[in-house]
């Protein structure tokens, strides 16, 4: 248990981070205002007293040829470089000058600068959103680089936010980037979200997904949520339109779709399950696309976001996009529900409030459950990788590798037998039987896996099968992770 | 006796691992359950557990007589909540997809 001083120190740190971030945002808008005033002043001095009329309507006066060459930016709503930079998207009716100005005005927050956040940030920066907030508390690792395209080999070890900032600034220096180099926490979530117009959930765990959705509802921000694992991805736009809690005409939130979190043991991370780079890339790019669509929506479509609902209005249903790279069809769109009348976050009966969130009384980690590290064997049944390496390799002992076939084919110890853990003692034992592991009851059996969790479960199953020979089955503590660290540094670190 | 109902069921988002690593299955289920009622999605879920699922980890698919939290059931490309959930009576050639939600990113 953390002591109350620790908790206080943590609260103080969060408070400080929160204030620093608010200052940064305030300073950024101050810079914007000063720049606007400067631009305005130089426009006034360039065009003379009679031509300072408001040119922000759809038909700005055509400036004379001289003014055009001298200071183009003064007469037009965008600078000359902005017309060049964004011209290819502006000439489409879906965007136009109107949409480009909406993008320039927009403040977008990206939570999670990983496999989803990198491509999403790149396309939003490229498209010219005015302000782009980046939030992540992690640092860049080599194993991120196959998919997290804003990072670089030379920036391994740097904070993900700073690394992405370097990439994005080089891509488009016109954007105002705000760096939040910490993980989202309930205490400061609201004050950060309030500074933005729309939020992208690019995180990788149910706890953050519920927290981000709850905060989006409380701060009335549309939320573009995506996820990916292995060869599949999912995308959904939530809380759009972002009506206040209790208004059934608002778009559903994450809790409307998933009122109960999945069992913690069913949640796989990219590190455990694997992820194909372009798969998560596709999902991140689609998030940027959906954000651009929301931000540049025409006023007719926004009509439903005003308070006067047409009599025939229906509650807004969400739509879930499922991408499955190796299936046919690859893309599929599913009609989902509208707001849930008893939703814990967005209904009139809600229990999630600004107070319950910022006071920390909503425990997202407990709500989603934790997986505790496996610890099912007594100390005598566990052997360190170092000790195992000292044992003679002879036919008195057998090494059973319980990783799946794909991992086994990447690297394996000579003479080991591959019996992938099936998640169930009986079915695994029968597979072990088929592979001849059980032929000699008296042979010592050593079980190994990637991290040392499944190997314990398999060793336990084996011990119960061999009750007459106690101590004959052992697990290798921390698996091949320990093997690489303590025995063979050349062992592939996949 | 009601005629058997031919269906396509699909498993995705990792659930296919529980069904012999195969995403799409063409199946045919009895037209009525044990009580003589028309077969609905609740009955289909039981039937899949008993007949199609070889993996012993039933708890990765069902909990308290329905799909576990985090699994969406889609009937002909609509969330089953729009179709009457477990009480939806299956029609010949319906397409039922079971999707586990993903969290990686
Ligand atoms: Zn809701």
């Amino acid at each position: 248990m953390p002591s109350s001083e620790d908790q206080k120190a943590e609260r103080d740190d969060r408070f400080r981070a929160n204030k620093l971030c608010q200052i940064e945002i305030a300073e950024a808008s101050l810079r914007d205002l000063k720049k606007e005033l400067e631009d305005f002043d130089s426009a006034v001095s360039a065009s003379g007293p009679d031509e300072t009329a408001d040119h922000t309507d759809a038909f700005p006066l055509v400036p004379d040829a001289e003014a055009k060459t001298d200071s183009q930016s003064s007469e037009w709503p965008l600078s000359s470089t902005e017309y060049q930079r964004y011209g290819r998207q502006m000439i489409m009716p879906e965007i136009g000058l109107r949409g480009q100005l909406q993008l320039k005005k927009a403040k977008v927050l990206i939570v999670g600068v990983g496999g989803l956040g990198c491509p999403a940030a790149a396309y939003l920066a490229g498209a010219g959103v005015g302000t782009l907030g980046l939030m992540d508390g992690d640092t860049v690792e080599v194993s991120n680089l196959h998919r997290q395209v804003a990072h670089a080999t030379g920036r391994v070890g740097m904070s993900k936010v700073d690394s992405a900032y370097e990439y994005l600034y080089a891509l488009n220096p016109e954007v105002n980037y705000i760096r939040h180099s910490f993980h989202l926490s309930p205490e400061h979530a609201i004050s950060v979200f309030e500074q933005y117009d729309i939020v992208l959930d690019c995180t990788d765990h149910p706890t953050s997904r519920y927290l981000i959705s709850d905060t989006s509802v409380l701060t009335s921000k549309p939320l573009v949520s995506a996820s990916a694992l292995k060869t599949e991805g999912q995308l959904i736009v939530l809380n759009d339109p972002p009506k206040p809690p209790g208004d059934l005409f608002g778009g559903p939130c994450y809790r409307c779709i998933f009122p109960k979190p999945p069992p913690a043991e069913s949640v796989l991370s990219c590190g455990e399950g694997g992820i194909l780079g372009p798969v998560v890339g596709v999902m991140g790019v689609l998030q940027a696309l959906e954000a651009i669509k929301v931000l540049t929506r025409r006023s007719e479509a926004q009509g439903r976001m005003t308070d006067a609902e047409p009599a025939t209005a229906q509650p807004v249903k969400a739509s879930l996009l499922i991408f499955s790279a190796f299936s046919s069809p690859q893309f599929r769109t599913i009609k989902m529900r509208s707001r849930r009348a008893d939703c814990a976050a967005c209904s009139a009966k809600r229990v999630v409030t600004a107070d319950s969130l910022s006071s920390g009384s909503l425990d997202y980690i407990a709500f989603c459950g934790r997986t505790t590290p496996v610890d099912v064997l007594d100390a005598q049944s566990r052997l360190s990788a170092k000790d195992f390496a000292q044992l003679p390799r002879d036919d008195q002992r057998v090494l059973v590798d319980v990783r799946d076939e794909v991992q086994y084919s990447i690297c394996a110890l000579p003479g080991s037998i591959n019996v992938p853990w099936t998640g169930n003692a009986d079915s695994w034992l029968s597979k072990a039987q088929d592979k001849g592991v059980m032929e000699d009851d008296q042979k010592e059996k050593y079980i190994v896996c990637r991290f040392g969790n499944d190997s314990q479960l398999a060793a336990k199953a084996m011990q119960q099968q061999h009750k007459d020979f106690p101590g004959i089955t052992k697990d290798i503590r921390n698996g091949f992770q320990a093997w690489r660290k303590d025995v063979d540094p050349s062992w592939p670190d996949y | 006796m009601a005629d058997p109902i031919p269906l396509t069921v699909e498993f995705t988002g990792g659930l296919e691992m529980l069904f012999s690593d195969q995403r799409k299955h063409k199946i045919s289920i009895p037209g009525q359950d044990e009580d003589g009622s028309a077969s609905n999605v609740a009955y289909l879920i039981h039937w899949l557990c008993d007949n199609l699922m070889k993996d012993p980890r039933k708890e990765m698919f069902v909990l308290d007589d329905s799909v576990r939290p985090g699994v969406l059931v889609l009937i002909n490309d609509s969330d089953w909540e729009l179709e009457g959930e477990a009480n939806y009576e299956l029609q010949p050639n319906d397409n039922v997809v079971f999707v586990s939600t993903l969290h990686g990113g």
Side-chain angles (χ1 to χ4, degrees), chain A residues 217 251-257 339-340 343-347:
Chain A
V217 171
C253 77
Y254 195 74
R255 285 187 197 261
C256 292
I257 312 286
R339 276 193 178 179
R340 193 179 279 273
C343 176
C346 73
S347 74

Side-chain angles (χ1 to χ4, degrees), chain A residues 113 136 173 191 196 285 300 339 347 373 379 409:
Chain A
V113 190
D136 202 311
S191 60
Y196 293 92
V285 172
E300 303 93 271
R339 276 193 178 179
S347 74
S409 68

Side-chain angles (χ1 to χ4, degrees), chain A residues 409-421:
Chain A
S409 68
I410 293 174
C411 49
L413 286 176
S416 62
I417 300 177
N418 185 212
V419 187
W421 175 242

